[in-house]
Amino acid sequence: MGMVIAIVISLALVSALTASIGNSRMVLRVAPGESVEKYILVQNVNDVPVMIHLEPNGDLVDDLRLKENDFELGVGEEKKAEFTINVKEAGTTQTKINVGYSSENRTSVGLTSTIIIFSDDKYRDEEDGFLGNFFEDSDEDKEFLDE
């Protein structure tokens, strides 16, 4: 009987956290030389406060600036993790921001937000703006997203 109680207690001590982000994938169209300001909605759906750590990687890691790399979220809180990407050259890039969740006595967990950027001069000063071509399918999108 004592062995069963010990197993149940030890299982409760190694419970994992749950991670939740509002936008795990972004597809952006930007002219070369322009900057984009966006955010990832980071949510704490756990019953304990969590520490959040953001870590970028990928093609534009050196051109991505996070407003904050680390912050705490209380139970039920959410926060917009803001960032800016400077797009220097034309082309297609993929950059990721890893979102890590940690808390005492809980197994850490993480999610990734992927940012795909199509950069070309044709996106400069468009009359319809960013959303003018956002919902149109293009061969460029299909080719990249099918990889």
Side-chain angles (χ1 to χ4, degrees), residues 71-143:
F71 54 89
E72 184 175 359
L73 288 178
V75 175
E77 288 184 342
E78 63 183 33
K79 182 173 183 161
K80 292 178 179 179
E82 299 174 7
F83 63 91
T84 302
I85 298 179
N86 297 314
V87 181
K88 295 179 181 174
E89 299 176 8
T92 301
T93 60
Q94 180 171 297
T95 305
K96 297 182 179 197
I97 300 177
N98 298 314
V99 182
Y101 286 66
S102 62
S103 184
E104 287 187 31
N105 300 322
R106 298 283 178 109
T107 303
S108 298
V109 67
L111 293 174
T112 299
S113 180
T114 302
I115 305 151
I116 299 168
I117 295 181
F118 296 113
S119 180
D120 192 294
D121 281 324
K122 68 183 177 183
Y123 302 125
R124 189 179 315 280
D125 301 324
E126 291 183 347
E127 288 182 28
D128 294 329
F130 171 72
L131 292 178
N133 66 6
F134 182 77
F135 296 103
E136 295 177 15
D137 289 331
S138 73
D139 293 336
E140 180 182 39
D141 293 351
K142 289 177 185 172
E143 179 181 315

